[in-house]
Amino acid sequence: MRLKKGTIAMEAPRKQIGAIKRRKGSKKLYVDFYYIGHRITRSTELDDTPSNERKVREFLNRITKRIEDGSFKFSEAFPSAKEEEKAYFTKLEGRDYRPEPHQVLFGDYVKEWMKTAFPTFSSPTKRHDYKRIIKGRILPIFRNMTFHQLTGMTVFKFTESLVWKKGKNKGKPVSSSSKSNILIPFRTIWNDACDEYRWVIKSPFDNLEEHYRPIAELMILTGMIPSEMGGLRKEDIEGDFIKLKRSYVLGEEKKTLKNAFRKRQIFITEAIRKRLDKLLEQSKDPFLITMESGTRFTSNRFCKYWKKAVEASGVPPMTSYSTRHSFAAWSLIIGINPLRLSSLMGHASKQMVFEVYGNYVEGLEEDAERILSYFGKDFLTPGKSKSPARFGDSTGDSRTRHLAI
């Protein structure tokens, strides 16, 4: 039809996609439309009012426009849809499904994880333990939280709230080892989600692991073994020295060390001081070193974290006692006086140092500069007045033998 002069052409109204539905017994409005050959019906969570109906129609109009221009994304339009549904439509749209942490509910992910990853565990015992912990401990608390909401503080509060559910200890806090066992499947699910969706985000479990880093580093900077670390009190830090007086073995404090030479003092270098400051900050008790739960340091508990760290690093299996070997070998390779090293380690003579640790030096030559940087130059040259000595050493010639060269 030809328009008369002066007539304004009107654009034909856009065809509306879908409908606004009302369900019997519900006060909410629903959207109902077809997308890529699939009928989609969703509650808007909005009450059935004229104002809300206009909002829903505007929403459907936006969907219409985006479907027509190819920019519509099901997962963005319906972020609360099930994960498998969002993944399904994303695949139909010809894209990779990579939701953000705030878009994925922990419970929804676990439901799919139980169908896919969980059955791959070959050990029936492991499957049984994981299933019991996930359903009994983890999901009741975190089911409706997104991965974005799983912070270090959230996990910490969770571990601190754990109590025995039955038995003679019902209502009492669970042990540190039980907390660790509960976190194992929790951490596994987190890591699998980050791997699947390629998230590069801070793990809520890092704070627990970071608690043990300064402990391990102090061991390698001093040559102390776990039982000696457990025996340390804050009062044992006197001026520029750590004084080793006692040990803590199998839950029992011993006022004597392995031998008379193990009772010694260690000069506090800048590198050691940095770790001590962190340990002092972490401990609220008279003891210098504590577990993440605040209880006294025990080698058995620490070794579990050590083992996990070794496995994650990909290096050959080794015990935490190997830090003592590394301390000796690293000290020798950067040129410490063997007599001083024997004193630092609590050995009777330098012969013991060479016989036990001499073989560990081979192959370290190329790393000498980095080792010296890690230990710090004040490890080699602490100064005559501050050089480490065993308890009971007098001034004069008996002390000069501990100076570095």
Side-chain angles (χ1 to χ4, degrees):
M1 179 183 298
R2 179 175 296 179
L3 297 176
K4 294 182 180 180
K5 186 177 181 180
T7 302
I8 300 175
M10 302 296 291
E11 182 181 352
R14 182 185 298 274
K15 179 182 179 181
Q16 293 182 340
I17 289 183
I20 300 174
K21 298 284 186 177
R22 297 164 178 79
R23 288 188 173 180
K24 187 177 181 180
S26 174
K27 297 181 179 180
K28 305 297 181 182
L29 294 173
Y30 287 75
V31 293
D32 187 285
F33 66 100
Y34 281 87
Y35 178 55
I36 316 182
H38 294 267
R39 182 177 182 180
I40 298 174
T41 303
R42 286 287 182 280
S43 170
T44 64
E45 299 300 326
L46 296 175
D47 291 333
D48 183 2
T49 66
S51 175
N52 285 337
E53 184 173 353
R54 286 193 295 271
K55 292 180 182 178
V56 175
R57 173 45 62 188
E58 291 174 359
F59 171 71
L60 283 172
N61 289 342
R62 289 196 298 273
I63 287 179
T64 300
K65 184 177 183 303
R66 290 174 181 172
I67 290 177
E68 289 178 350
D69 64 24
S71 64
F72 178 74
K73 297 178 181 179
F74 178 88
S75 61
E76 293 182 357
F78 301 101
S80 61
K82 294 181 179 180
E83 287 302 302
E84 60 267 31
E85 191 173 22
K86 288 188 284 189
Y88 177 76
F89 277 103
T90 301
K91 185 176 181 180
L92 290 180
E93 292 165 355
R95 298 182 292 104
D96 291 331
Y97 178 53
R98 291 183 58 185
E100 296 299 320
H102 68 273
Q103 297 175 313
V104 182
L105 285 175
F106 183 79
D108 288 346
Y109 182 81
V110 170
K111 184 177 180 180
E112 289 305 303
W113 183 88
M114 293 294 288
K115 295 177 182 178
T116 55
F118 181 75
T120 64
F121 298 147
S122 58
S123 170
T125 301
K126 183 176 182 178
R127 290 199 300 270
H128 174 270
D129 291 343
Y130 269 43
K131 188 174 183 178
R132 174 177 55 82
I133 292 171
I134 291 170
K135 291 190 174 182
R137 292 287 193 177
I138 301 175
L139 280 180
I141 305 298
F142 299 101
R143 184 190 309 275
N144 295 318
M145 294 180 65
T146 67
F147 278 83
H148 177 72
Q149 294 171 309
L150 298 180
T151 64
M153 183 56 66
T154 303
V155 173
F156 176 76
K157 289 180 178 180
F158 166 66
T159 58
E160 291 301 294
S161 69
L162 291 170
V163 296
W164 295 110
K165 292 185 174 182
K166 56 184 178 180
K168 63 179 182 180
N169 292 323
K170 182 178 180 180
K172 295 182 179 180
V174 303
S175 63
S176 296
S177 59
S178 295
K179 289 180 181 179
S180 178
N181 290 334
I182 290 171
L183 289 178
I184 289 173
F186 200 169
R187 189 196 308 265
T188 300
I189 294 170
W190 170 275
N191 290 338
D192 284 351
C194 290
D195 182 64
E196 180 177 348
Y197 297 134
R198 302 175 188 176
W199 292 334
V200 182
I201 53 178
K202 181 177 174 59
S203 169
F205 307 97
D206 283 349
N207 290 339
L208 300 179
E209 294 174 349
E210 284 296 320
H211 180 92
Y212 294 98
R213 182 183 295 275
I215 298 175
E217 292 182 337
L218 185 62
M219 290 170 65
I220 205 167
L221 286 167
T222 62
M224 286 191 287
I225 59 177
S227 61
E228 294 173 339
M229 301 279 281
L232 285 174
R233 296 173 181 266
K234 293 177 180 178
E235 64 187 32
D236 296 331
I237 302 175
E238 299 182 16
D240 294 319
F241 297 98
I242 301 173
K243 295 189 175 182
L244 274 67
K245 306 174 183 178
R246 63 187 73 81
S247 62
Y248 188 66
V249 183
L250 299 177
E252 181 181 353
E253 183 170 278
K254 298 182 180 296
K255 294 184 178 180
T256 58
L257 295 167
K258 186 176 181 180
N259 56 52
F261 298 97
R262 287 291 179 91
K263 191 174 183 181
R264 61 200 189 278
Q265 62 184 29
I266 299 172
F267 173 72
I268 301 175
T269 63
E270 290 185 13
I272 292 175
R273 179 70 68 183
K274 181 179 178 181
R275 276 70 180 185
L276 288 178
D277 288 343
K278 181 64 177 176
L279 293 171
L280 287 167
E281 180 184 339
Q282 291 179 171
S283 174
K284 307 301 180 184
D285 294 321
F287 310 111
L288 175 63
I289 302 172
T290 60
M291 309 306 290
E292 84 284 354
S293 61
T295 58
R296 191 169 183 176
F297 176 86
T298 60
S299 59
N300 288 342
R301 181 88 171 88
F302 171 74
C303 286
K304 292 182 179 180
Y305 282 95
W306 173 270
K307 182 179 179 182
K308 292 177 185 177
V310 169
E311 291 174 348
S313 68
V315 300
M318 61 182 70
T319 66
S320 59
Y321 199 90
S322 62
T323 58
R324 182 170 171 83
H325 299 166
S326 295
F327 169 75
W330 290 9
S331 298
L332 289 172
I333 204 67
I334 61 177
I336 192 174
N337 187 316
L339 284 173
R340 178 168 174 250
L341 179 58
S342 67
S343 178
L344 285 172
M345 299 192 71
H347 287 313
S349 67
K350 66 178 182 180
Q351 181 181 357
M352 183 70 172
V353 170
F354 287 124
E355 289 179 353
V356 177
Y357 307 110
N359 294 332
Y360 292 93
V361 176
E362 185 177 354
L364 289 176
E365 293 83 3
E366 295 181 359
D367 296 320
E369 187 175 339
R370 287 192 297 168
I371 293 172
L372 178 58
S373 176
Y374 183 73
F375 273 34
K377 292 183 178 180
D378 54 348
F379 173 70
L380 284 180
T381 56
K384 183 175 180 179
S385 63
K386 296 181 180 180
S387 58
R390 295 193 185 100
F391 291 166
D393 277 358
S394 59
T395 58
D397 292 343
S398 62
R399 284 195 62 166
T400 58
R401 63 192 180 96
H402 299 294
L403 292 177
I405 58 174

